[in-house]
Amino acid sequence: SQTIHQWPATLVQPVGSPLSLECTVEGTSNPNLYWYRQAAGRGLQLLFYSVGIGQISSEVPQNLSASRPQDRQFILSSKKLLLSDSGFYLCAWSAHGGNYGYTFGSGTRLTVV
Amino acid sequence: GQNIDQPTEMTATEGAIVQINCTYQTSGFNGLFWYQQHAGEAPTFLSYNVLDGLEEKGRFSSFLSRSKGYSYLLLKELQMKDSASYLCAVRPDDRGSTLGRLYFGRGTQLTVWP
């Protein structure tokens, strides 16, 4: 069966510090991968999506970047965090071409102080 | 752009039935999803509609009208554990693409009272 792992669960970082969140998927190959952010009181905002290694599309301009160095690994990064980067970050995967929704990781609660 | 609207909050009592509505305006349409999200947790998949009509899955049912850009999630025999946020999500028509981008509404916070 497929599983998705995301870490860390919580993170408190000072403004201006770097960020690296990692997500890995097991039990499937060539998944579509996604990063979402959920700010307090707001809906899920799609940040990045990827259909394959090295293929990243950004949904909205922001202070973040994403990379996919391996088929089942997706990384969210920032060189210098802003207060507005605080939120609940969720990684998700879906199968190519299927009529399926996303399966989400357990999320990372990021607080920038 | 994508515009997905759903009520912010709803309340109901245990054992009752509640209907959560969702309206959408998207650039194309290739499916509507409902997710449940408990506080501090990741969303979990509830239902999927791509054709008009009602899909029933146990206590939960979801309805879609593509011509009206409208869906609802119906929860029957409410239980305390159903207190959660319910997210409506739409997948645009990415014709020719294998991408399955989903765009989410802000969620409806349902509180079930004893």
Side-chain angles (χ1 to χ4, degrees):
Chain A
S1 63
Q2 302 89 1
T3 56
I4 179 168
H5 303 280
Q6 189 180 341
W7 66 92
T10 60
L11 194 58
V12 179
Q13 292 284 101
V15 169
S17 64
L19 173 74
S20 180
L21 302 180
E22 188 164 344
C23 171
T24 59
V25 181
E26 296 179 356
T28 187
S29 59
N30 198 28
N32 293 328
L33 295 173
Y34 310 84
W35 279 110
Y36 278 87
R37 176 172 60 201
Q38 189 173 36
R42 302 187 64 180
L44 284 165
Q45 180 185 31
L46 179 61
L47 301 177
F48 299 96
Y49 53 94
S50 171
V51 296
I53 297 174
Q55 301 178 62
I56 309 294
S57 296
S58 174
E59 186 71 6
V60 293
Q62 59 214 313
N63 183 42
L64 303 166
S65 61
S67 61
R68 184 169 177 175
Q70 300 181 44
D71 180 46
R72 290 169 288 178
Q73 184 185 28
F74 205 23
I75 298 172
L76 183 70
S77 304
S78 174
K79 293 182 179 178
K80 290 185 178 181
L81 283 169
L82 306 172
L83 287 175
S84 58
D85 292 324
S86 294
F88 190 39
Y89 287 83
L90 290 155
C91 179
W93 79 273
S94 70
H96 277 267
N99 291 326
Y100 307 109
Y102 293 179
T103 300
F104 286 87
S106 54
T108 296
R109 178 77 57 190
L110 172 67
T111 304
V112 182
V113 297
Chain B
Q2 327 300 332
N3 189 27
I4 302 168
D5 289 318
Q6 49 183 130
T8 304
E9 295 179 328
M10 297 185 72
T11 60
T13 54
E14 216 172 0
I17 299 173
V18 70
Q19 177 175 312
I20 302 174
N21 296 325
C22 172
T23 59
Y24 63 89
Q25 293 176 310
T26 57
S27 54
F29 178 83
N30 191 21
L32 186 141
F33 299 78
W34 283 95
Y35 280 80
Q36 180 190 60
Q37 186 179 24
H38 285 100
E41 298 181 7
T44 55
F45 170 79
L46 288 179
S47 69
Y48 166 72
N49 295 70
V50 67
L51 299 176
D52 290 349
L54 187 69
E55 293 284 341
E56 297 186 81
K57 188 185 292 186
R59 293 190 298 116
F60 293 3
S61 303
S62 57
F63 172 83
L64 174 67
S65 170
R66 289 172 295 171
S67 62
K68 296 181 179 178
Y70 167 71
S71 172
Y72 68 72
L73 179 69
L74 192 71
L75 292 77
K76 303 176 184 176
E77 302 170 14
L78 281 172
Q79 303 174 9
M80 298 290 290
K81 67 178 183 180
D82 296 329
S83 292
S85 182
Y86 291 85
L87 310 177
C88 175
V90 177
R91 181 170 62 194
D93 184 5
D94 288 326
R95 197 180 301 276
S97 168
T98 58
L99 278 174
R101 283 173 288 170
L102 284 183
Y103 294 94
F104 286 81
R106 294 195 173 195
T108 298
Q109 183 63 47
L110 173 66
T111 303
V112 180
W113 299 101

